[in-house]
């Protein structure tokens, strides 16, 4: 769901310990040019979550805010066991939060470097095919699917992350009308794209940047 949050002093503020709704911010997971990802604890439901947000100055850019909101909207429509789940979109005057599933594991890139058995590789391919079928059936294209945006949990479950560049197929006309903007987004993502739900166990974390 979407809810309104109290205003927080962003400039130079340490959000650790801040309570946003039922969620207590308990630690910083990753940060970069576009924003930060925190670990949060939902005190009402008793679960750990990932809280993604964008810096105040970035949020003033309507394109950055629109992209962040679009990521939330897309994830909210993609209920799939191999896609990182979104729980809530919290909007404030000077910041936005995206509350998401907390995932522990390693990136597919690192897993491939460490070595996967033929059976494990088949499972990865099968799970990815299932994700693509599910997203395309909803009219969504990821646009940034790569080994660093895919994680394997300790149980071996694949999770696709970072829908910051994703689009609904009905919006592809916008891509054709503004090719330079698409190129800029892709360039930003390649330079400093963050995981949507990184973890401390993430062995190949990329700098935060896509939203």
């Amino acid at each position: 769901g979407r809810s309104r949050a109290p205003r927080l002093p962003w400039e130079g503020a340490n959000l650790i310990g801040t309570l946003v709704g039922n969620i207590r911010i308990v630690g910083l997971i990753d940060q970069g040019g576009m924003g930060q990802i925190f670990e949060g604890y939902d005190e009402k439901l008793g679960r750990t979550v990932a809280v993604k947000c964008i810096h105040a100055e970035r949020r003033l850019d309507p394109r950055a805010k629109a992209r962040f909101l679009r990521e939330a909207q897309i994830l909210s429509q993609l209920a799939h066991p191999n896609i990182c789940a979104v729980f809530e979109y919290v909007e404030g005057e000077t910041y936005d939060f995206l509350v998401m599933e907390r995932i522990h594991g390693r990136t597919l890139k690192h897993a491939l470097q460490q070595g996967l058995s033929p059976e494990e590789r088949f499972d990865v391919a099968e799970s990815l095919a299932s994700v693509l079928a599910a997203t395309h059936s909803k009219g969504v294209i990821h646009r940034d699917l790569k080994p660093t945006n895919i994680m394997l949990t300790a149980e071996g479950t694949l999770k696709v992350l970072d829908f910051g560049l994703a689009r609904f197929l009905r919006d592809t006309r916008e891509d054709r009308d503004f090719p330079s903007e698409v190129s800029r987004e892709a360039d930003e993502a390649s330079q400093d794209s963050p995981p949507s739900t990184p973890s401390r166990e993430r062995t190949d974390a990329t700098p935060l940047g896509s939203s």
Side-chain angles (χ1 to χ4, degrees), residues 8 10 13-29 36-43 49-53 90 95-99 200:
L8 295 177
W10 256 99
N14 183 352
L15 297 183
I16 307 301
T18 297
L19 186 65
V20 179
N22 298 316
I23 298 171
R24 177 81 61 183
I25 304 298
V26 299
L28 177 67
I29 298 173
Q36 298 165 307
I37 300 180
F38 295 94
E39 178 168 288
Y41 181 74
D42 190 323
E43 297 183 343
V49 296
V51 183
K52 184 176 181 179
C53 59
V90 182
Y95 67 96
D96 291 333
F97 283 158
L98 188 55
V99 182
R200 291 188 180 91

PDB file of all heavy atoms in Angstrom, residues 8 10 13-29 36-43 49-53 90 95-99 200:
ATOM      1  N   LEU A   8      11.203  14.141   7.736  1.00  0.00           N
ATOM      2  CA  LEU A   8      12.445  13.897   8.457  1.00  0.00           C
ATOM      3  C   LEU A   8      13.509  14.890   7.996  1.00  0.00           C
ATOM      4  O   LEU A   8      13.528  15.301   6.837  1.00  0.00           O
ATOM      5  CB  LEU A   8      12.956  12.476   8.197  1.00  0.00           C
ATOM      6  CG  LEU A   8      12.076  11.343   8.730  1.00  0.00           C
ATOM      7  CD1 LEU A   8      12.679  10.008   8.343  1.00  0.00           C
ATOM      8  CD2 LEU A   8      11.924  11.442  10.225  1.00  0.00           C
ATOM      9  N   TRP A  10      16.501  15.550   6.391  1.00  0.00           N
ATOM     10  CA  TRP A  10      17.400  14.764   5.568  1.00  0.00           C
ATOM     11  C   TRP A  10      18.829  15.263   5.589  1.00  0.00           C
ATOM     12  O   TRP A  10      19.760  14.482   5.618  1.00  0.00           O
ATOM     13  CB  TRP A  10      16.889  14.759   4.118  1.00  0.00           C
ATOM     14  CG  TRP A  10      16.245  13.461   3.766  1.00  0.00           C
ATOM     15  CD1 TRP A  10      14.925  13.179   3.753  1.00  0.00           C
ATOM     16  CD2 TRP A  10      16.892  12.256   3.400  1.00  0.00           C
ATOM     17  NE1 TRP A  10      14.697  11.878   3.395  1.00  0.00           N
ATOM     18  CE2 TRP A  10      15.892  11.287   3.169  1.00  0.00           C
ATOM     19  CE3 TRP A  10      18.218  11.880   3.240  1.00  0.00           C
ATOM     20  CZ2 TRP A  10      16.184   9.985   2.792  1.00  0.00           C
ATOM     21  CZ3 TRP A  10      18.505  10.583   2.857  1.00  0.00           C
ATOM     22  CH2 TRP A  10      17.497   9.660   2.640  1.00  0.00           C
ATOM     23  N   ALA A  13      21.302  14.116   8.250  1.00  0.00           N
ATOM     24  CA  ALA A  13      20.617  13.350   9.294  1.00  0.00           C
ATOM     25  C   ALA A  13      21.053  11.896   9.282  1.00  0.00           C
ATOM     26  O   ALA A  13      21.317  11.321   8.243  1.00  0.00           O
ATOM     27  CB  ALA A  13      19.115  13.444   9.108  1.00  0.00           C
ATOM     28  N   ASN A  14      21.108  11.324  10.461  1.00  0.00           N
ATOM     29  CA  ASN A  14      21.346   9.898  10.587  1.00  0.00           C
ATOM     30  C   ASN A  14      20.004   9.245  10.849  1.00  0.00           C
ATOM     31  O   ASN A  14      19.376   9.484  11.872  1.00  0.00           O
ATOM     32  CB  ASN A  14      22.315   9.634  11.743  1.00  0.00           C
ATOM     33  CG  ASN A  14      22.669   8.165  11.874  1.00  0.00           C
ATOM     34  OD1 ASN A  14      22.083   7.319  11.209  1.00  0.00           O
ATOM     35  ND2 ASN A  14      23.619   7.866  12.732  1.00  0.00           N
ATOM     36  N   LEU A  15      19.549   8.433   9.924  1.00  0.00           N
ATOM     37  CA  LEU A  15      18.217   7.848  10.041  1.00  0.00           C
ATOM     38  C   LEU A  15      18.180   6.604  10.914  1.00  0.00           C
ATOM     39  O   LEU A  15      17.094   6.076  11.163  1.00  0.00           O
ATOM     40  CB  LEU A  15      17.675   7.507   8.646  1.00  0.00           C
ATOM     41  CG  LEU A  15      17.463   8.693   7.705  1.00  0.00           C
ATOM     42  CD1 LEU A  15      16.859   8.220   6.395  1.00  0.00           C
ATOM     43  CD2 LEU A  15      16.567   9.735   8.346  1.00  0.00           C
ATOM     44  N   ILE A  16      19.329   6.128  11.361  1.00  0.00           N
ATOM     45  CA  ILE A  16      19.349   4.951  12.213  1.00  0.00           C
ATOM     46  C   ILE A  16      18.557   5.253  13.490  1.00  0.00           C
ATOM     47  O   ILE A  16      18.784   6.249  14.161  1.00  0.00           O
ATOM     48  CB  ILE A  16      20.777   4.534  12.572  1.00  0.00           C
ATOM     49  CG1 ILE A  16      21.632   4.379  11.304  1.00  0.00           C
ATOM     50  CG2 ILE A  16      20.767   3.250  13.388  1.00  0.00           C
ATOM     51  CD1 ILE A  16      21.098   3.368  10.325  1.00  0.00           C
ATOM     52  N   GLY A  17      17.621   4.392  13.790  1.00  0.00           N
ATOM     53  CA  GLY A  17      16.772   4.580  14.960  1.00  0.00           C
ATOM     54  C   GLY A  17      15.462   5.273  14.667  1.00  0.00           C
ATOM     55  O   GLY A  17      14.568   5.303  15.506  1.00  0.00           O
ATOM     56  N   THR A  18      15.336   5.838  13.466  1.00  0.00           N
ATOM     57  CA  THR A  18      14.103   6.524  13.084  1.00  0.00           C
ATOM     58  C   THR A  18      12.967   5.521  12.918  1.00  0.00           C
ATOM     59  O   THR A  18      13.146   4.433  12.383  1.00  0.00           O
ATOM     60  CB  THR A  18      14.312   7.279  11.757  1.00  0.00           C
ATOM     61  OG1 THR A  18      15.308   8.283  11.938  1.00  0.00           O
ATOM     62  CG2 THR A  18      13.020   7.941  11.305  1.00  0.00           C
ATOM     63  N   LEU A  19      11.795   5.912  13.370  1.00  0.00           N
ATOM     64  CA  LEU A  19      10.606   5.081  13.208  1.00  0.00           C
ATOM     65  C   LEU A  19       9.749   5.675  12.100  1.00  0.00           C
ATOM     66  O   LEU A  19       9.310   6.820  12.180  1.00  0.00           O
ATOM     67  CB  LEU A  19       9.817   5.017  14.508  1.00  0.00           C
ATOM     68  CG  LEU A  19       8.616   4.049  14.534  1.00  0.00           C
ATOM     69  CD1 LEU A  19       9.099   2.610  14.387  1.00  0.00           C
ATOM     70  CD2 LEU A  19       7.828   4.219  15.823  1.00  0.00           C
ATOM     71  N   VAL A  20       9.526   4.905  11.035  1.00  0.00           N
ATOM     72  CA  VAL A  20       8.672   5.305   9.929  1.00  0.00           C
ATOM     73  C   VAL A  20       7.488   4.350   9.896  1.00  0.00           C
ATOM     74  O   VAL A  20       7.613   3.197   9.501  1.00  0.00           O
ATOM     75  CB  VAL A  20       9.433   5.271   8.591  1.00  0.00           C
ATOM     76  CG1 VAL A  20       8.517   5.663   7.439  1.00  0.00           C
ATOM     77  CG2 VAL A  20      10.648   6.188   8.641  1.00  0.00           C
ATOM     78  N   GLY A  21       6.348   4.820  10.337  1.00  0.00           N
ATOM     79  CA  GLY A  21       5.216   3.928  10.486  1.00  0.00           C
ATOM     80  C   GLY A  21       5.517   2.895  11.559  1.00  0.00           C
ATOM     81  O   GLY A  21       5.880   3.239  12.692  1.00  0.00           O
ATOM     82  N   ASN A  22       5.441   1.620  11.172  1.00  0.00           N
ATOM     83  CA  ASN A  22       5.767   0.541  12.109  1.00  0.00           C
ATOM     84  C   ASN A  22       7.212   0.078  11.993  1.00  0.00           C
ATOM     85  O   ASN A  22       7.623  -0.832  12.703  1.00  0.00           O
ATOM     86  CB  ASN A  22       4.855  -0.674  11.843  1.00  0.00           C
ATOM     87  CG  ASN A  22       3.393  -0.352  12.051  1.00  0.00           C
ATOM     88  OD1 ASN A  22       3.019   0.301  13.017  1.00  0.00           O
ATOM     89  ND2 ASN A  22       2.555  -0.822  11.127  1.00  0.00           N
ATOM     90  N   ILE A  23       7.973   0.707  11.098  1.00  0.00           N
ATOM     91  CA  ILE A  23       9.310   0.212  10.775  1.00  0.00           C
ATOM     92  C   ILE A  23      10.388   1.066  11.432  1.00  0.00           C
ATOM     93  O   ILE A  23      10.450   2.285  11.235  1.00  0.00           O
ATOM     94  CB  ILE A  23       9.511   0.162   9.254  1.00  0.00           C
ATOM     95  CG1 ILE A  23       8.511  -0.818   8.637  1.00  0.00           C
ATOM     96  CG2 ILE A  23      10.939  -0.238   8.911  1.00  0.00           C
ATOM     97  CD1 ILE A  23       8.470  -0.802   7.146  1.00  0.00           C
ATOM     98  N   ARG A  24      11.224   0.407  12.201  1.00  0.00           N
ATOM     99  CA  ARG A  24      12.374   1.054  12.828  1.00  0.00           C
ATOM    100  C   ARG A  24      13.598   0.843  11.949  1.00  0.00           C
ATOM    101  O   ARG A  24      13.947  -0.285  11.599  1.00  0.00           O
ATOM    102  CB  ARG A  24      12.623   0.450  14.202  1.00  0.00           C
ATOM    103  CG  ARG A  24      13.833   0.982  14.939  1.00  0.00           C
ATOM    104  CD  ARG A  24      13.557   2.295  15.611  1.00  0.00           C
ATOM    105  NE  ARG A  24      12.483   2.181  16.609  1.00  0.00           N
ATOM    106  CZ  ARG A  24      12.010   3.210  17.303  1.00  0.00           C
ATOM    107  NH1 ARG A  24      12.501   4.427  17.094  1.00  0.00           N
ATOM    108  NH2 ARG A  24      11.036   3.038  18.184  1.00  0.00           N
ATOM    109  N   ILE A  25      14.261   1.930  11.554  1.00  0.00           N
ATOM    110  CA  ILE A  25      15.492   1.832  10.768  1.00  0.00           C
ATOM    111  C   ILE A  25      16.612   1.416  11.714  1.00  0.00           C
ATOM    112  O   ILE A  25      16.915   2.128  12.670  1.00  0.00           O
ATOM    113  CB  ILE A  25      15.829   3.161  10.087  1.00  0.00           C
ATOM    114  CG1 ILE A  25      14.668   3.642   9.210  1.00  0.00           C
ATOM    115  CG2 ILE A  25      17.101   3.018   9.258  1.00  0.00           C
ATOM    116  CD1 ILE A  25      14.319   2.721   8.077  1.00  0.00           C
ATOM    117  N   VAL A  26      17.219   0.262  11.450  1.00  0.00           N
ATOM    118  CA  VAL A  26      18.193  -0.285  12.396  1.00  0.00           C
ATOM    119  C   VAL A  26      19.623  -0.308  11.866  1.00  0.00           C
ATOM    120  O   VAL A  26      20.568  -0.495  12.639  1.00  0.00           O
ATOM    121  CB  VAL A  26      17.781  -1.703  12.836  1.00  0.00           C
ATOM    122  CG1 VAL A  26      16.434  -1.673  13.537  1.00  0.00           C
ATOM    123  CG2 VAL A  26      17.728  -2.664  11.649  1.00  0.00           C
ATOM    124  N   GLY A  27      19.810  -0.114  10.565  1.00  0.00           N
ATOM    125  CA  GLY A  27      21.171  -0.144  10.048  1.00  0.00           C
ATOM    126  C   GLY A  27      21.235   0.223   8.578  1.00  0.00           C
ATOM    127  O   GLY A  27      20.241   0.131   7.864  1.00  0.00           O
ATOM    128  N   LEU A  28      22.406   0.672   8.155  1.00  0.00           N
ATOM    129  CA  LEU A  28      22.641   1.013   6.760  1.00  0.00           C
ATOM    130  C   LEU A  28      23.215  -0.206   6.050  1.00  0.00           C
ATOM    131  O   LEU A  28      24.189  -0.800   6.505  1.00  0.00           O
ATOM    132  CB  LEU A  28      23.615   2.191   6.659  1.00  0.00           C
ATOM    133  CG  LEU A  28      24.006   2.627   5.244  1.00  0.00           C
ATOM    134  CD1 LEU A  28      22.798   3.207   4.513  1.00  0.00           C
ATOM    135  CD2 LEU A  28      25.139   3.650   5.297  1.00  0.00           C
ATOM    136  N   ILE A  29      22.614  -0.570   4.923  1.00  0.00           N
ATOM    137  CA  ILE A  29      23.089  -1.696   4.136  1.00  0.00           C
ATOM    138  C   ILE A  29      24.023  -1.239   3.026  1.00  0.00           C
ATOM    139  O   ILE A  29      25.097  -1.773   2.816  1.00  0.00           O
ATOM    140  CB  ILE A  29      21.908  -2.481   3.526  1.00  0.00           C
ATOM    141  CG1 ILE A  29      21.030  -3.067   4.637  1.00  0.00           C
ATOM    142  CG2 ILE A  29      22.422  -3.598   2.623  1.00  0.00           C
ATOM    143  CD1 ILE A  29      19.761  -3.719   4.116  1.00  0.00           C
ATOM    144  N   GLN A  36      20.104   5.525  -0.514  1.00  0.00           N
ATOM    145  CA  GLN A  36      20.579   4.561   0.464  1.00  0.00           C
ATOM    146  C   GLN A  36      19.592   3.396   0.583  1.00  0.00           C
ATOM    147  O   GLN A  36      18.419   3.520   0.247  1.00  0.00           O
ATOM    148  CB  GLN A  36      20.718   5.241   1.835  1.00  0.00           C
ATOM    149  CG  GLN A  36      21.720   6.380   1.852  1.00  0.00           C
ATOM    150  CD  GLN A  36      21.574   7.239   3.094  1.00  0.00           C
ATOM    151  OE1 GLN A  36      20.493   7.719   3.419  1.00  0.00           O
ATOM    152  NE2 GLN A  36      22.674   7.445   3.796  1.00  0.00           N
ATOM    153  N   ILE A  37      20.109   2.289   1.067  1.00  0.00           N
ATOM    154  CA  ILE A  37      19.266   1.150   1.421  1.00  0.00           C
ATOM    155  C   ILE A  37      19.560   0.792   2.877  1.00  0.00           C
ATOM    156  O   ILE A  37      20.714   0.601   3.261  1.00  0.00           O
ATOM    157  CB  ILE A  37      19.516  -0.065   0.520  1.00  0.00           C
ATOM    158  CG1 ILE A  37      19.221   0.284  -0.939  1.00  0.00           C
ATOM    159  CG2 ILE A  37      18.642  -1.238   0.956  1.00  0.00           C
ATOM    160  CD1 ILE A  37      19.447  -0.850  -1.902  1.00  0.00           C
ATOM    161  N   PHE A  38      18.506   0.752   3.675  1.00  0.00           N
ATOM    162  CA  PHE A  38      18.628   0.467   5.091  1.00  0.00           C
ATOM    163  C   PHE A  38      18.020  -0.887   5.422  1.00  0.00           C
ATOM    164  O   PHE A  38      17.169  -1.401   4.695  1.00  0.00           O
ATOM    165  CB  PHE A  38      17.897   1.531   5.917  1.00  0.00           C
ATOM    166  CG  PHE A  38      18.476   2.905   5.810  1.00  0.00           C
ATOM    167  CD1 PHE A  38      17.980   3.809   4.884  1.00  0.00           C
ATOM    168  CD2 PHE A  38      19.510   3.302   6.646  1.00  0.00           C
ATOM    169  CE1 PHE A  38      18.499   5.085   4.778  1.00  0.00           C
ATOM    170  CE2 PHE A  38      20.042   4.585   6.552  1.00  0.00           C
ATOM    171  CZ  PHE A  38      19.541   5.473   5.615  1.00  0.00           C
ATOM    172  N   GLU A  39      18.453  -1.434   6.546  1.00  0.00           N
ATOM    173  CA  GLU A  39      17.737  -2.555   7.128  1.00  0.00           C
ATOM    174  C   GLU A  39      16.730  -1.990   8.115  1.00  0.00           C
ATOM    175  O   GLU A  39      17.050  -1.093   8.904  1.00  0.00           O
ATOM    176  CB  GLU A  39      18.685  -3.508   7.852  1.00  0.00           C
ATOM    177  CG  GLU A  39      17.964  -4.671   8.517  1.00  0.00           C
ATOM    178  CD  GLU A  39      18.902  -5.762   8.989  1.00  0.00           C
ATOM    179  OE1 GLU A  39      19.448  -6.474   8.120  1.00  0.00           O
ATOM    180  OE2 GLU A  39      19.107  -5.873  10.202  1.00  0.00           O
ATOM    181  N   GLY A  40      15.512  -2.483   8.034  1.00  0.00           N
ATOM    182  CA  GLY A  40      14.475  -2.035   8.941  1.00  0.00           C
ATOM    183  C   GLY A  40      13.832  -3.205   9.655  1.00  0.00           C
ATOM    184  O   GLY A  40      13.905  -4.352   9.189  1.00  0.00           O
ATOM    185  N   TYR A  41      13.221  -2.902  10.786  1.00  0.00           N
ATOM    186  CA  TYR A  41      12.503  -3.936  11.527  1.00  0.00           C
ATOM    187  C   TYR A  41      11.065  -3.489  11.717  1.00  0.00           C
ATOM    188  O   TYR A  41      10.802  -2.423  12.292  1.00  0.00           O
ATOM    189  CB  TYR A  41      13.160  -4.187  12.885  1.00  0.00           C
ATOM    190  CG  TYR A  41      12.467  -5.277  13.669  1.00  0.00           C
ATOM    191  CD1 TYR A  41      12.611  -6.614  13.311  1.00  0.00           C
ATOM    192  CD2 TYR A  41      11.645  -4.969  14.754  1.00  0.00           C
ATOM    193  CE1 TYR A  41      11.959  -7.621  14.015  1.00  0.00           C
ATOM    194  CE2 TYR A  41      10.992  -5.969  15.465  1.00  0.00           C
ATOM    195  CZ  TYR A  41      11.157  -7.292  15.092  1.00  0.00           C
ATOM    196  OH  TYR A  41      10.504  -8.280  15.781  1.00  0.00           O
ATOM    197  N   ASP A  42      10.147  -4.279  11.198  1.00  0.00           N
ATOM    198  CA  ASP A  42       8.726  -3.991  11.333  1.00  0.00           C
ATOM    199  C   ASP A  42       8.294  -4.420  12.733  1.00  0.00           C
ATOM    200  O   ASP A  42       8.165  -5.612  13.019  1.00  0.00           O
ATOM    201  CB  ASP A  42       7.938  -4.751  10.264  1.00  0.00           C
ATOM    202  CG  ASP A  42       6.481  -4.334  10.184  1.00  0.00           C
ATOM    203  OD1 ASP A  42       5.892  -4.055  11.243  1.00  0.00           O
ATOM    204  OD2 ASP A  42       5.925  -4.287   9.072  1.00  0.00           O
ATOM    205  N   GLU A  43       8.082  -3.442  13.609  1.00  0.00           N
ATOM    206  CA  GLU A  43       7.790  -3.743  15.004  1.00  0.00           C
ATOM    207  C   GLU A  43       6.384  -4.305  15.196  1.00  0.00           C
ATOM    208  O   GLU A  43       6.112  -4.937  16.222  1.00  0.00           O
ATOM    209  CB  GLU A  43       7.982  -2.484  15.850  1.00  0.00           C
ATOM    210  CG  GLU A  43       9.425  -1.989  15.843  1.00  0.00           C
ATOM    211  CD  GLU A  43       9.642  -0.791  16.745  1.00  0.00           C
ATOM    212  OE1 GLU A  43       8.646  -0.135  17.119  1.00  0.00           O
ATOM    213  OE2 GLU A  43      10.818  -0.507  17.071  1.00  0.00           O
ATOM    214  N   VAL A  49      13.060  -6.073   7.162  1.00  0.00           N
ATOM    215  CA  VAL A  49      12.789  -5.640   5.793  1.00  0.00           C
ATOM    216  C   VAL A  49      13.970  -4.827   5.275  1.00  0.00           C
ATOM    217  O   VAL A  49      14.851  -4.421   6.039  1.00  0.00           O
ATOM    218  CB  VAL A  49      11.499  -4.787   5.726  1.00  0.00           C
ATOM    219  CG1 VAL A  49      10.287  -5.605   6.124  1.00  0.00           C
ATOM    220  CG2 VAL A  49      11.628  -3.534   6.600  1.00  0.00           C
ATOM    221  N   ALA A  50      13.980  -4.597   3.988  1.00  0.00           N
ATOM    222  CA  ALA A  50      14.919  -3.673   3.366  1.00  0.00           C
ATOM    223  C   ALA A  50      14.162  -2.398   3.025  1.00  0.00           C
ATOM    224  O   ALA A  50      13.026  -2.461   2.556  1.00  0.00           O
ATOM    225  CB  ALA A  50      15.526  -4.281   2.104  1.00  0.00           C
ATOM    226  N   VAL A  51      14.771  -1.262   3.288  1.00  0.00           N
ATOM    227  CA  VAL A  51      14.119   0.030   3.059  1.00  0.00           C
ATOM    228  C   VAL A  51      14.985   0.837   2.107  1.00  0.00           C
ATOM    229  O   VAL A  51      16.082   1.271   2.449  1.00  0.00           O
ATOM    230  CB  VAL A  51      13.919   0.807   4.380  1.00  0.00           C
ATOM    231  CG1 VAL A  51      13.180   2.113   4.119  1.00  0.00           C
ATOM    232  CG2 VAL A  51      13.151  -0.047   5.393  1.00  0.00           C
ATOM    233  N   LYS A  52      14.496   1.018   0.901  1.00  0.00           N
ATOM    234  CA  LYS A  52      15.227   1.737  -0.142  1.00  0.00           C
ATOM    235  C   LYS A  52      14.708   3.164  -0.220  1.00  0.00           C
ATOM    236  O   LYS A  52      13.503   3.406  -0.153  1.00  0.00           O
ATOM    237  CB  LYS A  52      15.023   1.030  -1.486  1.00  0.00           C
ATOM    238  CG  LYS A  52      15.804   1.611  -2.651  1.00  0.00           C
ATOM    239  CD  LYS A  52      15.570   0.751  -3.892  1.00  0.00           C
ATOM    240  CE  LYS A  52      16.349   1.266  -5.090  1.00  0.00           C
ATOM    241  NZ  LYS A  52      16.135   0.424  -6.292  1.00  0.00           N
ATOM    242  N   CYS A  53      15.600   4.127  -0.340  1.00  0.00           N
ATOM    243  CA  CYS A  53      15.165   5.521  -0.426  1.00  0.00           C
ATOM    244  C   CYS A  53      16.097   6.298  -1.341  1.00  0.00           C
ATOM    245  O   CYS A  53      17.187   5.847  -1.674  1.00  0.00           O
ATOM    246  CB  CYS A  53      15.122   6.162   0.960  1.00  0.00           C
ATOM    247  SG  CYS A  53      16.696   6.144   1.824  1.00  0.00           S
ATOM    248  N   VAL A  90       6.231   4.505   0.893  1.00  0.00           N
ATOM    249  CA  VAL A  90       5.991   5.571   1.859  1.00  0.00           C
ATOM    250  C   VAL A  90       6.478   6.887   1.272  1.00  0.00           C
ATOM    251  O   VAL A  90       7.644   7.006   0.903  1.00  0.00           O
ATOM    252  CB  VAL A  90       6.702   5.288   3.198  1.00  0.00           C
ATOM    253  CG1 VAL A  90       6.409   6.391   4.205  1.00  0.00           C
ATOM    254  CG2 VAL A  90       6.283   3.936   3.753  1.00  0.00           C
ATOM    255  N   TYR A  95      11.410  13.009   1.242  1.00  0.00           N
ATOM    256  CA  TYR A  95      11.987  11.705   0.967  1.00  0.00           C
ATOM    257  C   TYR A  95      10.883  10.717   0.595  1.00  0.00           C
ATOM    258  O   TYR A  95       9.709  10.938   0.881  1.00  0.00           O
ATOM    259  CB  TYR A  95      12.736  11.167   2.194  1.00  0.00           C
ATOM    260  CG  TYR A  95      11.794  10.858   3.326  1.00  0.00           C
ATOM    261  CD1 TYR A  95      11.308   9.575   3.530  1.00  0.00           C
ATOM    262  CD2 TYR A  95      11.367  11.872   4.173  1.00  0.00           C
ATOM    263  CE1 TYR A  95      10.407   9.299   4.541  1.00  0.00           C
ATOM    264  CE2 TYR A  95      10.469  11.612   5.188  1.00  0.00           C
ATOM    265  CZ  TYR A  95       9.995  10.324   5.375  1.00  0.00           C
ATOM    266  OH  TYR A  95       9.101  10.070   6.377  1.00  0.00           O
ATOM    267  N   ASP A  96      11.278   9.627  -0.032  1.00  0.00           N
ATOM    268  CA  ASP A  96      10.389   8.504  -0.312  1.00  0.00           C
ATOM    269  C   ASP A  96      11.083   7.228   0.147  1.00  0.00           C
ATOM    270  O   ASP A  96      12.315   7.105   0.035  1.00  0.00           O
ATOM    271  CB  ASP A  96      10.077   8.392  -1.810  1.00  0.00           C
ATOM    272  CG  ASP A  96       9.216   9.529  -2.316  1.00  0.00           C
ATOM    273  OD1 ASP A  96       8.460  10.096  -1.510  1.00  0.00           O
ATOM    274  OD2 ASP A  96       9.307   9.846  -3.515  1.00  0.00           O
ATOM    275  N   PHE A  97      10.321   6.283   0.643  1.00  0.00           N
ATOM    276  CA  PHE A  97      10.834   4.982   1.052  1.00  0.00           C
ATOM    277  C   PHE A  97      10.113   3.886   0.276  1.00  0.00           C
ATOM    278  O   PHE A  97       8.913   3.956   0.064  1.00  0.00           O
ATOM    279  CB  PHE A  97      10.583   4.728   2.544  1.00  0.00           C
ATOM    280  CG  PHE A  97      11.520   5.448   3.475  1.00  0.00           C
ATOM    281  CD1 PHE A  97      11.138   5.678   4.788  1.00  0.00           C
ATOM    282  CD2 PHE A  97      12.760   5.880   3.056  1.00  0.00           C
ATOM    283  CE1 PHE A  97      11.979   6.329   5.667  1.00  0.00           C
ATOM    284  CE2 PHE A  97      13.615   6.537   3.918  1.00  0.00           C
ATOM    285  CZ  PHE A  97      13.226   6.751   5.235  1.00  0.00           C
ATOM    286  N   LEU A  98      10.870   2.873  -0.101  1.00  0.00           N
ATOM    287  CA  LEU A  98      10.307   1.669  -0.701  1.00  0.00           C
ATOM    288  C   LEU A  98      10.653   0.518   0.239  1.00  0.00           C
ATOM    289  O   LEU A  98      11.823   0.167   0.408  1.00  0.00           O
ATOM    290  CB  LEU A  98      10.902   1.433  -2.089  1.00  0.00           C
ATOM    291  CG  LEU A  98      10.288   0.329  -2.948  1.00  0.00           C
ATOM    292  CD1 LEU A  98       8.794   0.546  -3.117  1.00  0.00           C
ATOM    293  CD2 LEU A  98      10.969   0.276  -4.302  1.00  0.00           C
ATOM    294  N   VAL A  99       9.641  -0.046   0.897  1.00  0.00           N
ATOM    295  CA  VAL A  99       9.838  -1.124   1.864  1.00  0.00           C
ATOM    296  C   VAL A  99       9.726  -2.453   1.126  1.00  0.00           C
ATOM    297  O   VAL A  99       8.705  -2.746   0.496  1.00  0.00           O
ATOM    298  CB  VAL A  99       8.796  -1.047   3.000  1.00  0.00           C
ATOM    299  CG1 VAL A  99       9.055  -2.148   4.029  1.00  0.00           C
ATOM    300  CG2 VAL A  99       8.831   0.326   3.666  1.00  0.00           C
ATOM    301  N   ARG A 200      24.043  -7.979   4.050  1.00  0.00           N
ATOM    302  CA  ARG A 200      25.424  -7.969   4.512  1.00  0.00           C
ATOM    303  C   ARG A 200      26.190  -9.178   3.986  1.00  0.00           C
ATOM    304  O   ARG A 200      27.407  -9.161   3.932  1.00  0.00           O
ATOM    305  CB  ARG A 200      25.450  -7.955   6.042  1.00  0.00           C
ATOM    306  CG  ARG A 200      24.942  -6.645   6.625  1.00  0.00           C
ATOM    307  CD  ARG A 200      25.163  -6.591   8.132  1.00  0.00           C
ATOM    308  NE  ARG A 200      24.668  -5.338   8.680  1.00  0.00           N
ATOM    309  CZ  ARG A 200      23.447  -5.164   9.128  1.00  0.00           C
ATOM    310  NH1 ARG A 200      22.587  -6.165   9.078  1.00  0.00           N
ATOM    311  NH2 ARG A 200      23.062  -4.005   9.629  1.00  0.00           N
TER     312      ARG A 200
END
